[in-house]
Amino acid sequence: MIRLSQVPDTMRVMQQSRPRVLSGIQPTGTGSHLGNYLGALRRWVAMQDTFDAYYFIPDLHAITVPHDPAALRRRTREAVAELIACGLDPGRCTIFVQSQVPEHAQLCWILGCITGYGEAARMTQFKDKSARKELGSATVGLFNYPILQAADILLYQADQVPVGDDQRQHLELTRVLARRFNTQFGPTFTVPSPYEIHEAARIADLQEPTKKMSKSRPPAGTINVMDPAAQIRKKLRSAVTDTDRDVRADAEHKPGITNLLTIYSAVSGKSVERAEKEFAGSGYGDFKDVVADAVIAEVAPVQRRYAELMAEGTTVDDALFEGRTRARDVAGATLAVAHDNVGFLLPGGSGRGSRP
Ligand code: AMP
Ligand code: TRP
């Protein structure tokens, strides 16, 4: 028989026996777009019951390019509200803000000391961003970006990390650094694997459907989760299509229609084949209207919940308080082992350097 006093422990053991996932989403721009939502956030929601899940806002990463402090502060709070509005439940997963857990910057320093200069200089995101004139001249912070990301992941002993293709190289570096540290200083970090996203919903830009929908592209091609319904409809109605009239998936010749079918399939739960049948014989205009109805129906409850969360405020505050506490428990324990293994004298005589 399970006594009541044992229940929390039982729950903790259950959580510990689940594989751990961790991921972060930047607090930049106009909030999450449909690609973030379908490709990342909605999957995170599904993962919170099968994984011991940690999700965070990487605000330390956000200052690696020029930024406005007031906007960062506002966006960080909005980003947390967005995560909860999308369905992340602070009771079932851990949500936190990176800068509130000082262990990230601390472990970043240590990992920086086992990263080769050339190794960091080869990272493609660093090369791309440092070449972009509007971002000003590249900083040491931008150079350290992937090392900080490795610290994010290794602090939590994450087993799996769901990330998009552009982050795969950073995850590979994380694996290299984890193995290198473990070999040099003794077993310390779990070597994480990428979380393979099956049936990858890669959402394209509505105006340039051969490119990925992205925060850095012009707004007409991007649907934001918080866009008003009329704007979502307008953007979808002006989505680029092609000159024939068949609603049919063909990524090579009909990227625009294929993208709209992908979006429709992702929000309606119907397969692309079924959607093709549904729209056989309809014109593009009618098809776009039905896609707009489906997208609007999907985001409406998220928008309502978001407005409530921003108006009341305490749910976000409480989630962040709880999240920070839980995150620091795990991150602090890992950092102490890393400090001890690397040869730092631990305070209070708790490590190997305590008096004989
Ligand atoms: P970002 O902040 O743009 O790097 O996006 C965060 C995450 O959202 C990525 O790691 C992807 O998993 C997902 N994502 C971003 N853009 C798209 C897209 N166009 N289609 C599908 N998933 C996307
Ligand atoms: N660099 C990631 C992005 O731009 C965000 C991020 C920071 C992240 N730290 C992370 C993602 C750790 C996964 C794990 O999308």
Side-chain angles (χ1 to χ4, degrees):
M1 192 176 79
I2 296 177
R3 274 180 290 123
L4 255 187
S5 62
Q6 290 176 324
V7 169
D9 275 352
T10 312
M11 281 174 61
R12 208 175 53 219
V13 169
M14 266 174 57
Q15 214 158 38
Q16 279 168 354
S17 64
R18 292 175 186 171
R20 186 170 287 162
V21 290
L22 170 131
S23 202
I25 188 159
Q26 293 243 17
T28 42
T30 42
S32 295
H33 56 67
L34 202 59
N36 297 135
Y37 177 76
L38 297 173
L41 300 178
R42 220 172 54 163
R43 291 164 199 279
W44 293 7
V45 172
M47 291 166 92
Q48 62 186 336
D49 291 319
T50 39
F51 289 89
D52 179 19
Y54 286 73
Y55 301 120
F56 71 101
I57 307 300
D59 55 347
L60 299 177
H61 281 106
I63 66 165
T64 56
V65 291
H67 78 287
D68 167 27
L72 177 61
R73 204 173 286 121
R74 178 176 51 79
R75 272 299 307 146
T76 301
R77 209 184 158 72
E78 289 172 356
V80 173
E82 236 175 68
L83 293 182
I84 301 174
C86 286
L88 290 185
D89 173 358
R92 289 187 284 156
C93 67
T94 300
I95 303 172
F96 65 97
V97 171
Q98 187 187 30
S99 63
Q100 295 184 359
V101 182
E103 286 82 358
H104 290 246
Q106 291 175 276
L107 183 60
C108 178
W109 176 259
I110 297 174
L111 295 177
C113 297
I114 60 161
T115 308
Y117 181 86
E119 204 169 26
R122 275 197 298 277
M123 295 288 114
T124 51
Q125 183 180 288
F126 172 73
K127 289 199 279 186
D128 292 350
K129 283 198 184 173
S130 54
R132 273 166 56 189
K133 289 208 180 59
E134 79 275 17
L135 298 179
S137 54
T139 62
V140 176
L142 186 62
F143 189 71
N144 282 339
Y145 183 116
I147 305 170
L148 178 61
Q149 185 161 348
D152 299 337
I153 297 167
L154 300 182
L155 272 178
Y156 297 89
Q157 309 286 358
D159 298 294
Q160 296 190 28
V161 183
V163 285
D165 283 345
D166 57 335
Q167 297 297 314
R168 236 160 245 276
Q169 199 186 28
H170 293 168
L171 189 56
E172 196 39 55
L173 177 70
T174 306
R175 291 162 53 82
V176 168
L177 295 180
R179 288 201 203 95
R180 187 175 300 159
F181 190 100
N182 291 347
T183 308
Q184 280 184 27
F185 302 112
T188 309
F189 300 120
T190 303
V191 180
S193 314
Y195 175 80
E196 296 298 343
I197 292 175
H198 304 294
E199 31 113 15
R202 189 171 181 277
I203 309 300
D205 186 278
L206 300 178
Q207 291 299 315
E208 272 191 77
T210 51
K211 304 224 163 88
K212 167 177 137 160
M213 186 177 284
S214 152
K215 283 171 192 165
S216 55
R217 306 191 55 74
T222 308
I223 293 177
N224 295 311
V225 174
M226 296 303 158
D227 278 347
Q231 207 171 348
I232 294 179
R233 192 174 298 281
K234 187 162 164 233
K235 288 178 180 176
L236 282 165
R237 276 193 180 147
S238 19
V240 165
T241 52
D242 52 53
T243 48
D244 64 36
R245 315 192 42 168
D246 298 341
V247 178
R248 176 168 56 77
D250 176 347
E252 198 184 331
H253 303 105
K254 298 165 72 70
I257 290 293
T258 306
N259 188 38
L260 294 177
L261 279 166
T262 306
I263 293 175
Y264 183 67
S265 159
V267 295
S268 67
K270 297 173 189 172
S271 68
V272 169
E273 297 75 45
R274 199 168 142 207
E276 285 174 330
K277 288 203 186 90
E278 185 179 337
F279 296 107
S282 355
Y284 286 172
D286 292 341
F287 168 54
K288 285 173 166 178
D289 264 334
V290 179
V291 178
D293 290 340
V295 171
I296 292 165
E298 174 77 21
V299 298
V302 177
Q303 295 187 354
R304 263 199 306 277
R305 178 97 182 102
Y306 175 79
E308 284 164 18
L309 288 163
M310 290 304 285
E312 52 94 354
T314 51
T315 306
V316 170
D317 289 341
D318 291 352
L320 287 182
F321 179 81
E322 259 291 303
R324 172 176 187 270
T325 309
R326 274 187 258 159
R328 287 207 73 184
D329 270 355
V330 179
T334 303
L335 188 70
V337 176
H339 271 205
D340 198 25
N341 286 347
V342 91
F344 293 161
L345 198 58
L346 297 193
S350 52
R352 274 178 267 172
S354 53
R355 277 188 295 168

